[in-house]
Structures are given as C-alpha cells and as structure tokens.
Amino acid sequence: MSKSVKNQTRNTWKRYYYLGMPLLLILSLILIALRNPDTAENTSKDSSSTSDPKVEKKYQSSPEADSLLVQSNDLLRKGEYQNALSAVEQSLQLNKEIGNYRAIGDCYNRIATIYYYQGDFKNAINYFEDGIVSYQEANFLSGIATLVNNKGAIYYYLGNYPKALEHYKKAASLNATLNNKMQSATTIQNIGGIYLELQDYNQAMKHFQQAKTTYEELADTLSLSQIKNSIGDVYLSKKSFDLALTNFEEALALAESINAQQSILEVYYNLGDAHDQLENFDLAMDFYTRTKSLADKINNTLYQSLSYIGLGTIHLDAGAAQKGIKFCRKGLQISTEIETVSIQQEACECLYEAHKQSGQNTLALNYLEQSISLKDSLNSRQTADKILNMEFEKKMILDSLANVEKEMRIELAHKEVLRQQETQRNIIVVVLFFIIIIAIAIWSRLNYVKKSKQRLQKEKDRSEHLLLNILPQEIAEELKSKGFVDAQDFESAAILFTDFKGFTATAAQLSPQDLVQELNTCFKAFDNIIGQYRVEKIKTIGDAYMAVGGVPRSDKNSVKNTILAALEMQEFIADRKEQNELLGKSSFEMRIGIHAGPIVAGVVGVKKFQYDIWGDTVNTASRMESNGQVGRVNISKSTYLVVKDEKDLAFEYRGRIDAKGKGEIDMYFVYRSSEGLNRRDRQPELVSY
C-alpha cells in the first residue's frame, strides 16, 4: 500500500476511534463497573449530605442483587459480556421488586457499559438516561453528575460539540458542589478533548495536564495510565516520537501493574501505530499481533477488526499482497458484523489497494465502489445524528413549556392571595411611596456621579490602550510626560522581516474580504508570538511584517528570542497552509530574514505617531528576507556569530550570496535542534464515582 493511502487509512480509523470508541470513555466505564458498591455508596452519602438540602434516600438492599452486581464486575473484566449482562439484568429485576432506585441506577449504568463495549451506542445512551432518572429518584447527586458527563460524551460522539460542552459544564458544576475531585478531573479531561477536536492544542494539553495532576494526587493508577496514553497520543500526532513512545511505555507499565486488560489493549495498538509511522515494521507487526491476541482473549471485536487491518496494511507495504488481502478481508468481516461503517470503509480501501497491487482490477473496482458507498452512508449517518439532536431539543422545549404552564398556575393562585391583602397594604404603600421617591432621587444623583466617573475612567483607559497599541510602553510614557521622544541609538538589535511568496497571485484567487481576513489571521498570530518573546512590532507594509528585538530596552537574549519567534511564525504558517488545503482554500507561503546590528529608533511627526527604526541594519535585514527561501528562516553571518553556541538551535551554511546593493554576504538557515509536530484528534472520557 502506498504511503499516502496508508496515512489515509490511519486517519479514517482515528476519526472513528476518537468519535466512536474513546479510550477515556472506556476508562470511566471500567471505573464505574469495577468500583466496590459499598465504597461508592459511602462516598455518595457523604457528598450528598454536605451539598444537597435533601439527603440521599435510603432503600432496602438485597444481598442476592448486590452479589449479582459484584459478579458482573468480574465477568466484565474478563470480557464475558453476555454473562455479565445476564447477571446484571437479574440484579436489576431484584432491585426493581424492592424499589431500590440507587441500585437500579447502578444496574442501568452497568448495562450501558456492557453495550458500549460491544459498540451498541444507541442502547448505551438509552440506559444512561434511565440511570439518570433512577438516581434523581434516589437523590443521588454524585451518580447524576457521572451520567450527565457520560451523556456529554455521547453528544461528542454524535459530533454535537456545543451540546457535549453544555453537559460537561453541568457535570463540572455538580462535581464542584460535591467536591468530587476524581469526577472533576475526568470532566476537565473531556473538555480538553473538545479543544483537541477544535484544534486548540495548547488548551487541550493544558486540560490534560490539569487532570493528570489530580490523578497523581489521588494516586489513581488506572487514570494515570489512561492520561499518559492520551498525552502520548497527542505527541504522536505531532510526530514527536520520543515523547510519544515514553508516555506509551509508562502507560503500559501502569496498566500492566493492575492487569487492566482494556487499557493494555489500547496502548498496544498505539505502540503499533507509532512504530508503523516510524516505519519500524517489525515492531509495528509485533504490537498489532499483541493487540489481536488480547482482543481475541477479551472478545473485543472492535480491536480485532482494527488489528487485522493494521497487519494487512503492513503486509501490503512489504509487497505481500495476498497476505494483506487475507488480513484486510477478515477485518472487513468483523467490522461488518459489529456495524462499524467507518472501519468497513477502511477495510474496503485496504482491499482495493491490495487487489490493485495484485493486478485483480475487477475486484479492486468492486471494493472501490463499496468504499464510496460506505462513505455516502457515513454522510447519511451524520445527517441522522443531526435529526436526533433536533428531536432531543424539541423534547426539551416541550418540557420547558410544561414548566411554564405550571409556574403560571402557581402565579395566578399567588395573585388571588395578594388581591385579598391589597386593602390592608394600600395605606402602607402610600407612606412608602414618598419615602421611595426621596430615596430614588438621592440614589439617582449618586449613581449619576458614579457613572460619570466611570465613563471618564473608561475613556482614559481606552486612550491609554490605544496609545500602547501604537507605541512601546516606555516610549508612550516619555511622549506623555515630555510631549516628544528623544531618538535612541542601539548598538545591537535584531531586525526581522517577513514576506509572503507569490502574494499577488494568491490574492487574486481570494475575495477582498477573504484576503483581508487571512492577512489579519496571520498578523494577529505573529503579534501574539512576538509578544511571548519580547520582540517589538514596528509596522506592516502590505503583506510584509517588520519587528525588532532588543528595542526599546536592550536585551542580551534579543537575537535568540527574535530567531525563536521567527521559527514559531514559520510553524504557524505551515499549520495554516495545511488547514486551508484540507478546506480547499488558497494559502500563503512565507520567507523570513533576520539581521542583527546597530540602529537608531524614535518617533517622527506630530500626527499619527509611529515608532520606527533606521540604519543600514534595516536594509541588510530586508536583503536577508528577499534572499531567503519559503518555509525557512535566513540569517546573516553577524547574526549567526551571536547565537552559534545556542544548543537548541541548528544552522545550515548557505555560502556567500549576492545581495542587492550589499554585495556578497555569508548567509545561514537556522532551525530548532529537534523539529516537529503534526496533529490528530482526541476523544472524551466518562467520569466515575
């Protein structure tokens, strides 16, 4: 299989994996299923008694029902789903007979877990909702918080991120009230998953690290294993293979220490994926084989199908088309049985490529047609998901109308009582009326004075903000105090120039609004980047961007900081180009040049103040940019000499290059010592109690 098709196959699985079978969702379900019922009950009683005006309701318990529920724990851990389902259904029936709503909610939650493992998401969400109703009857707030979070994860699976985030926030509010650290951490982790889906990777990692801190405080081995697996997966998506493998190996060690079979299975697959991307095919095949063996042992059909397809694609890369066909056909058979359309499409693409490689064009064409049909089916499923969301919202509206009608009846009864008391109240109202008039007059005057001061302060702050957006703070302060700014000499400053390649041709493909929006997106990102490295923006000229490090305050690290800012700007443009190409939009490529040397800086004119810099250093920096290459950061020899000993930077000597008006100049490309990162999605986690 070609590299491009192989990557496409992997991405197809990852989209399904993060939207259909989340590792974190499974983690929480395991915690819910395997937690000791007595311990959970004690915890919930403590939480409820301290946070809710109504204490959790007490019910008669059934030793036989409790024993069956515990028995289902062991069966679930062994992967014996049908036996586990039979045991918990018997427990459910016994608890219904005695009316133990807390235990009924536990049973519904366990049943939802079992259906989820088998890929039956419709039954899973139905039983989650039944569990919420039972927990509400028992006034078990901790359980309600758990299942509200779980419903949020299902909405995430349906692709309804606003609805998912709404449920996560409700769960977070309940957990904060109950002081449930564990549930709060997993909800934070789920929100991080949404940020990953929206490609806000900094926020995603921030939430993952915050959840990890809580897991470490609670010494929760299973949660630590899962969060390390999650963080490793982020690093893998960014092609930082060393960090990815380190986190995967730590996650595997933790999972093996508690014999968490499902977690071990997930890490095996990720390790196979990592070595597959590194083209360590022997190791990749070993981990895919381990994944298959463990999936067979615990009867996890999803990972069975995925491991078969992983093995098939590796055989195709090795030129063993017939073995590839054998494995991929088995993966298609299993994914068809469990009705996972995304993986069926992946298997068909594998078989199409394998038969094409074998010269069996007719069969290849058949599998290509199946792949296209399955893709259309996926689009139809997305439409169906939207319809389900609309029906849910309709139900919520009807419930709201019923509540409004009830409130109106209460209000009418209240008005009748007030009407009977009106005569006695009239005298008091007249007296209070004059008192209120005087009080309002005094309050209005005081409020007017207060608002006037606030408006003046707001205008002053706005003027201050506008001035600081135009001039550096030190220069603005000098201008306010003296009315003018003295010119300054700087012995060493780093000048940065950027320019978009083929800007005119690319701009011709965009509407004026899209062009300005794209430039604004890029320049806003540049502003944020240079702000982090204490580099001062000077101006933009058309599509060019100019900044300087070491001004208006000298800084011994200004040259290095300017280079780091330039590298991050190139990384942003590369990521932006990748995003635009996926959306079929035109995108920019950029050159950056840097030169360090003496300059003069100051403010000229009396209108439209602008802080600017002058000197031959500026002209040389411009030549560094014009003689650079797309995607690279080009620096002069004098700049290189300043930072050549920095361990986190690497350099490529380009030779002496003729620069317009400057003659031949030694130039270097500069890089980070280790480069890196691509992307992949992440899926939410269900919390436990």
Side-chain angles (χ1 to χ4, degrees), residues 214-442:
T214 301
Y215 297 152
E216 289 173 340
E217 291 176 358
L218 299 175
D220 191 306
T221 304
L222 182 57
S223 296
L224 279 172
S225 172
Q226 291 287 355
I227 196 65
K228 286 181 179 291
N229 192 32
S230 304
I231 293 172
D233 211 5
V234 174
Y235 283 125
L236 179 61
S237 69
K238 296 178 176 181
K239 305 298 182 187
S240 184
F241 295 110
D242 289 341
L243 289 173
L245 290 172
T246 297
N247 279 275
F248 288 152
E249 289 163 1
E250 291 177 357
L252 181 60
L254 289 168
E256 288 177 339
S257 71
I258 57 173
N259 195 28
Q261 297 288 296
Q262 182 66 31
S263 296
I264 294 171
L265 179 66
E266 295 160 2
V267 181
Y268 277 168
Y269 187 86
N270 276 347
L271 284 166
D273 191 4
H275 287 295
D276 195 359
Q277 293 186 48
L278 284 167
E279 299 185 356
N280 297 330
F281 296 125
D282 289 341
L283 285 173
M285 185 170 293
D286 177 56
F287 280 110
Y288 282 148
T289 302
R290 294 191 200 182
T291 303
K292 176 185 172 300
S293 298
L294 185 53
D296 291 341
K297 178 181 177 182
I298 67 174
N299 195 29
N300 189 310
T301 52
L302 174 66
Y303 276 91
Q304 287 175 341
S305 62
L306 290 169
S307 59
Y308 274 117
I309 295 172
L311 290 168
T313 57
I314 290 179
H315 282 297
L316 286 181
D317 285 331
Q322 292 305 314
K323 287 188 177 180
I325 290 172
K326 176 183 176 182
F327 283 110
C328 290
R329 186 175 292 161
K330 185 64 176 179
L332 176 60
Q333 176 188 343
I334 297 174
S335 61
T336 302
E337 291 173 356
I338 62 176
E339 299 181 354
T340 51
V341 179
S342 294
I343 300 182
Q344 292 175 48
Q345 183 197 3
E346 177 184 339
C348 287
E349 288 179 353
C350 173
L351 289 167
Y352 159 69
E353 193 69 24
H355 284 295
K356 185 172 71 172
Q357 187 180 119
S358 300
Q360 300 172 321
N361 295 330
T362 301
L363 287 173
L365 181 60
N366 288 338
Y367 283 113
L368 178 61
E369 291 174 350
Q370 288 186 48
S371 175
I372 294 172
S373 175
L374 288 166
K375 186 177 292 186
D376 293 340
S377 175
L378 283 173
N379 293 334
S380 299
R381 177 173 292 185
Q382 291 174 356
T383 302
D385 291 340
K386 292 179 181 178
I387 293 173
L388 286 174
N389 291 332
M390 292 173 62
E391 291 177 352
F392 177 81
E393 291 174 359
K394 176 182 177 182
K395 181 178 181 299
M396 293 296 291
I397 292 172
L398 292 175
D399 290 343
S400 298
L401 290 174
N403 290 333
V404 169
E405 182 179 356
K406 179 180 178 181
E407 290 174 0
M408 288 180 63
R409 289 198 299 267
I410 294 173
E411 184 178 356
L412 289 174
H414 180 64
K415 286 182 178 180
E416 181 64 27
V417 174
L418 293 178
R419 192 177 296 113
Q420 295 174 2
Q421 298 174 348
E422 186 175 359
T423 302
Q424 299 176 3
R425 193 174 56 192
N426 284 340
I427 296 174
I428 299 174
V429 169
V430 172
V431 175
L432 291 177
F433 176 76
F434 289 103
I435 297 174
I436 291 171
I437 291 296
I438 296 171
I440 289 175
I442 296 172

Side-chain angles (χ1 to χ4, degrees), residues 107-216:
C107 291
Y108 281 139
N109 203 9
R110 185 71 50 75
I111 293 172
T113 301
I114 296 169
Y115 278 119
Y116 189 88
Y117 278 157
Q118 299 178 90
D120 190 343
F121 304 117
K122 180 179 179 181
N123 271 325
I125 193 171
N126 287 339
Y127 279 106
F128 281 144
E129 291 173 350
D130 290 342
I132 290 174
V133 173
S134 296
Y135 285 154
Q136 287 173 338
E137 182 66 28
N139 194 35
F140 179 33
L141 299 187
S142 185
I144 294 171
T146 295
L147 297 191
V148 167
N149 182 86
N150 293 356
K151 284 185 65 181
I154 298 298
Y155 281 117
Y156 188 100
Y157 159 70
L158 294 174
N160 190 338
Y161 303 130
K163 204 73 175 178
L165 192 57
E166 175 187 335
H167 280 72
Y168 289 155
K169 289 182 177 178
K170 287 180 181 178
S173 177
L174 280 170
N175 289 325
T177 302
L178 296 168
N179 194 28
N180 288 338
K181 290 186 177 181
M182 185 63 185
Q183 292 189 15
S184 296
T186 45
T187 301
I188 288 169
Q189 191 169 348
N190 289 346
I191 294 173
I194 290 182
Y195 278 117
L196 270 177
E197 186 67 28
L198 299 176
Q199 298 185 354
D200 190 342
Y201 298 99
N202 290 334
Q203 283 293 329
M205 184 60 76
K206 175 183 176 182
H207 283 76
F208 288 154
Q209 292 292 352
Q210 186 176 348
K212 177 173 173 285
T213 299
T214 301
Y215 297 152
E216 289 173 340

